[in-house]
């Protein structure tokens, strides 16, 4: 993370970073990121899809891997997040780290837990890097060619 670490919380720098993504994000996704966040939202589903078909030759330089996620925003709106042309995917989930502070009891019933913070940045190679941190201390890192957010409706 470049903007949000234990040592710094550079919201202004991150907002300036998001403004530079206007050419690589669709307008709805860009506007959402400039005006909202998924803080305190709950991820209900993450799907990794590998569209490899050995019978269909493909000479493109794009990855056939995509990731989709469904998130319930704190205001009860539901969103679908979609990362395509994925070349890096990491999810570091360990339920034993998600503990109640006072008693250190593991919160099995919280699952992945709520979204804490994230950073979406443009890499030098023109790809996007999305780092997502959940309150359970789960880290999700995705590097992709495209990222979009679609409003699904109220839940």
């Amino acid at each position: 993370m470049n903007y949000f670490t234990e040592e710094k919380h550079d919201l202004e720098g991150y907002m300036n970073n998001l403004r530079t993504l206007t050419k690589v994000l669709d307008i709805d996704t860009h506007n959402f990121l400039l005006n909202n966040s998924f803080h305190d939202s709950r991820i209900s589903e993450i799907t990794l899809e590998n569209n490899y078909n050995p019978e269909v030759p493909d000479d493109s330089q794009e990855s056939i891997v995509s990731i989709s996620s469904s998130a319930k925003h704190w205001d009860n709106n539901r969103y679908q997040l979609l990362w395509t042309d994925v070349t890096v995917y990491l999810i570091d989930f360990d339920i034993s780290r998600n503990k109640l502070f006072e008693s250190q009891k593991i919160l099995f019933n919280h699952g992945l837990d709520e979204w804490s913070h994230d950073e979406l940045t443009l890499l030098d190679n023109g790809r996007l890097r999305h780092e997502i941190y959940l309150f359970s201390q789960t880290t999700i890192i995705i590097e992709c060619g495209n990222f979009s957010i679609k409003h699904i409706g109220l839940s």
Side-chain angles (χ1 to χ4, degrees), residues 15-145:
M15 293 307 292
N16 288 335
N17 166 71
L18 286 177
R19 287 183 193 94
T20 67
L21 300 180
T22 187
K23 294 177 183 164
V24 294
L25 298 174
D26 67 67
I27 191 152
D28 292 332
T29 300
H30 193 244
N31 284 338
F32 181 91
L33 293 173
L34 288 174
N35 298 299
N36 299 286
S37 79
F38 282 106
H39 182 76
D40 285 340
S41 297
R42 183 171 288 276
I43 296 175
S44 58
E45 178 181 340
I46 298 176
T47 303
L48 174 70
E49 189 170 338
N50 179 14
N51 291 307
Y52 177 68
N53 182 349
E55 297 174 12
V56 177
D58 183 4
D59 294 334
S60 80
Q61 295 297 306
E62 288 193 1
S63 170
I64 57 172
V65 175
S66 64
I67 299 169
S68 64
S69 178
S70 176
K72 182 178 178 184
H73 201 252
W74 57 266
D75 64 2
N76 287 327
N77 278 294
R78 289 189 105 22
Y79 293 90
Q80 180 180 38
L81 291 77
L82 180 63
W83 300 265
T84 57
D85 185 16
V86 174
T87 53
V88 173
Y89 174 65
L90 168 84
I91 183 167
D92 175 22
F93 174 69
D94 180 350
I95 193 70
S96 68
R97 291 186 302 219
N98 196 13
K99 297 178 181 177
L100 192 60
F101 181 72
E102 297 84 16
S103 68
Q104 295 300 301
K105 182 179 178 181
I106 296 172
L107 298 173
F108 288 101
N109 63 338
H110 280 228
L112 290 172
D113 217 345
E114 281 89 15
W115 192 297
S116 174
H117 59 287
D118 69 307
E119 282 187 12
L120 182 67
T121 54
L122 188 62
L123 300 173
D124 291 339
N125 62 5
R127 301 184 60 73
L128 293 165
R129 179 177 174 94
H130 202 174
E131 297 179 59
I132 303 166
Y133 292 85
L134 307 179
F135 286 117
S136 62
Q137 298 182 40
T138 295
T139 302
I140 301 170
I141 297 174
I142 302 169
E143 290 185 10
C144 61

